[in-house]
Amino acid sequence: MFGIPEPWWSVIRAVVWALFIIIFLAVNAIVAVWLERKVSGRIQRRIGPQRVGRPIGWAQTIADVFKLLVKEDVRAEATDKWVFLLAPAIPFAAITLMFLVVPWGKNLIPLNLNIGLLFVVAVTSFEVLGLFMAGWGSNNKWALLGAMRTAAAMISYELPMVLAILAVGMTAGSLNMNDVVNAQSRVPFILIQPVAFLIYYIASLAEANRTPFDFTEAESELVAGANIEYSGLRWAFFFLAEYGSLVGTSAIAATLFLGGWRGPILPGPVWFLIKTYLLVYVAMWIRWTLPRVRIDQLLDFGWKFLLPLALADIAVTGIVLALL
Amino acid sequence: MKVADIGKAAVNIAKGLGVTFGEQLKKPITNFYPDTPATVKDGYRGVPVLVQLPTGEFTCTACMACVRACPIGIIQLDTVMVDRKRAMDEFRLEVGRCLQCNLCVESCNFDALVMAPEFELASYTREPLVLYKNDLAKLYAKYFWPKEGEEHHFPARVTSKHHAPGAGTGTPRGPRAAKIAQTGVTLTPGGGGGEPAGKTPVGASVPAESAREATGTTRPQDTGAQKAGEGA
Ligand code: SF4
Ligand code: SF4
């Protein structure tokens, strides 16, 4: 294409997509943090940030980014050096990979994998590895407790999440993200699979460590959880990954259940962003409404309710598909 | 965990989400304080200030009631003899330590001390927080002096008479007051309130001029160090 020989064209395409995803995640963190502050402010009848970048405080998070960039990178003597230093990169890498298979529009997908759904599930599991490394390498009991709780929560909620995604795959008849979006050309799957959507959304809140399941960062109990020993840029990477995984799980939910980039009048990527940020907003709305559940309640709910429900959903889906 | 519980929880979560969504639609109650002036409610206790008439006259009679009433002893009063009568010469209030307890205002029998709703007193050092009679009078003028073409009327003194039933009848109020009346002790500044009546607080009722002559000291506001501190 454009007179560029094929292998080079693929390389250019890959680099451009990679840059795009990373920049998107960075910008998203800035926008999402701003949105979170605004939403929490409005829920508490405040107005949130407004002084830096009047009148809506748009520059507040940008100022915070600069603050984080110039902060000292502290590492305690007793930490496990390489585990500690590498941990922040992993959750961010996992989120970046997740966006590899998310379609932005017709034929606008970084990598059209035929097992896209499976790929999403596989790479999001890496996030827990990074958080656990952070907790282990910090050599700090709060960090370790936070990391272990996170691992417990994420592993328990991964199962119902996978099963919910599987139900979507069965309905669409494919694990390819493009096919899933195309299968929703008439009815979005949220109407066909409402139970799967609920399961996915609840599990994704746990996966993205959002309240009511924010065990990584249970401020009131664990000070800051797994990332307690981090500062400056390394801490910023955890933060980036946190908001990245929020927008990532919302993007997947929008693609699987809300019809992805499909929508009237507006171009595909715009619809995709609207739907994604609608779900991001709902997650924030939930965060500022509900308190954190107890860890045993979380595990109980995951294993004793969500998992059987997801299995039942799959069974019903299978029966209906067989009868049709 | 019962399925019924989960149903109940789902209903309650939906209710909660409804409440928080409703809050988002309401107008925020934020005050844009430094941009727009903040208001305080009536009866707000800021700084006890001395009443100074527009003629420049203080209504304080140097009766020392407020000095004795202050539980932490931050009011000091110097007196002079004018026409063979005791009069207030200097009044010193360490407002940085003030509890805003209102006891000094309530104890004043001449309504010469009232609470001004001043609250922007922050400073980098302690010196600007020691207010003398002219500083207090300035605050009084700021809040209570008449505008152009208005009559001067004294601010209403908000005391416990106005909100405690049976108060203000002249009888000692409360067990502590009863005990004090019985044993004839009186509250003194800085002390635990146990000193015998008649013993005057140190450095308070001695006429200022003679005290200065005797000790050779000057009031802090007269020293250069104090000026430098205030200028900072
Ligand atoms: S308000 Fe209370 S603490 Fe403050 S000067 Fe008056 S008596 Fe003392
Ligand atoms: S109680 Fe009132 S009149 Fe007596 S010294 Fe204090 S301010 Fe002056």
Side-chain angles (χ1 to χ4, degrees), chain A:
Chain A
M1 216 180 279
F2 304 130
I4 305 167
E6 177 44 38
W8 289 110
W9 175 244
S10 304
V11 170
I12 291 170
R13 232 175 65 105
V15 168
V16 168
W17 270 115
L19 279 179
F20 171 74
I21 292 172
I22 289 173
I23 291 171
F24 168 72
L25 284 178
V27 172
N28 160 70
I30 289 173
V31 175
V33 171
W34 175 84
L35 192 69
E36 176 109 55
R37 286 175 174 172
K38 281 290 183 193
V39 168
S40 66
R42 289 308 297 246
I43 285 179
Q44 297 164 355
R45 301 206 49 196
R46 298 181 284 112
I47 43 173
Q50 47 123 1
R51 280 178 201 283
V52 189
R54 278 169 192 270
I56 55 165
W58 57 269
Q60 182 60 55
T61 16
I62 299 173
D64 288 347
V65 168
F66 281 109
K67 180 197 76 179
L68 286 174
L69 286 180
V70 298
K71 269 197 171 180
E72 190 185 351
D73 184 17
V74 184
R75 184 178 71 83
E77 267 292 294
T79 51
D80 190 337
K81 190 174 176 197
W82 287 108
V83 177
F84 181 84
L85 293 185
L86 286 180
I90 291 176
F92 184 67
I95 302 303
T96 317
L97 284 176
M98 185 157 116
F99 271 94
L100 213 53
V101 293
V102 175
W104 285 73
K106 200 169 164 35
N107 299 327
L108 207 59
I109 181 166
L111 194 62
N112 196 2
L113 276 185
N114 57 355
I115 47 157
L117 289 183
L118 205 58
F119 183 80
V120 167
V121 173
V123 293
T124 44
S125 319
F126 273 111
E127 214 189 327
V128 65
L129 189 65
L131 287 168
F132 198 79
M133 274 169 72
W136 185 261
S138 295
N139 197 4
N140 174 320
K141 55 179 178 277
W142 305 118
L144 187 59
L145 267 176
M148 290 203 290
R149 282 167 158 209
T150 314
M154 281 190 163
I155 290 169
S156 328
Y157 277 73
E158 212 127 82
L159 288 173
M161 190 165 165
V162 173
L163 293 177
I165 290 180
L166 201 60
V168 170
M170 285 165 76
T171 320
S174 164
L175 291 180
N176 182 316
M177 294 291 250
N178 266 343
D179 292 350
V180 171
V181 174
N182 288 335
Q184 302 177 65
S185 54
R186 274 182 302 154
V187 199
F189 280 167
I190 188 172
L191 298 178
I192 303 175
Q193 290 278 15
V195 178
F197 173 73
L198 270 183
I199 295 171
Y200 179 86
Y201 202 72
I202 293 173
S204 77
L205 288 179
E207 193 71 20
N209 289 310
R210 300 285 302 179
T211 316
F213 310 121
D214 59 338
F215 287 97
T216 323
E217 219 186 303
E219 294 99 338
S220 44
E221 300 159 29
L222 292 177
V223 197
N227 54 19
I228 184 169
E229 290 286 350
Y230 288 87
S231 63
L233 199 56
R234 284 179 208 283
W235 183 84
F237 263 90
F238 280 114
F239 208 60
L240 213 59
E242 198 184 314
Y243 280 91
S245 79
L246 172 63
V247 80
T249 47
S250 301
I252 303 283
T255 309
L256 298 188
F257 296 99
L258 301 183
W261 49 266
R262 284 188 178 278
I265 307 166
L266 294 173
V270 176
W271 271 113
F272 173 74
L273 284 178
I274 289 175
K275 289 170 181 175
T276 303
Y277 277 92
L278 188 74
L279 290 175
V280 168
Y281 165 75
V282 173
M284 289 173 178
W285 176 21
I286 290 174
R287 171 169 177 188
W288 295 99
T289 305
L290 300 182
R292 186 182 312 126
V293 298
R294 245 172 27 218
I295 183 80
D296 60 315
Q297 293 169 333
L298 171 88
L299 296 180
D300 261 11
F301 184 66
W303 288 102
K304 295 185 188 165
F305 182 74
L306 276 191
L307 189 60
L309 188 67
L311 282 171
D313 188 48
I314 288 206
V316 172
T317 309
I319 292 168
V320 171
L321 283 179
L323 292 180
L324 281 180

Side-chain angles (χ1 to χ4, degrees), chain B residues 44-61:
Chain B
Y44 178 84
R45 297 176 187 172
V47 184
V49 295
L50 279 174
V51 174
Q52 189 186 29
L53 304 177
T55 56
E57 199 185 331
F58 286 96
T59 54
C60 173
T61 60

Side-chain angles (χ1 to χ4, degrees), chain B residues 164-181:
Chain B
T169 50
T171 48
R173 303 193 291 269
R176 187 152 177 258
K179 201 168 152 227
I180 288 166

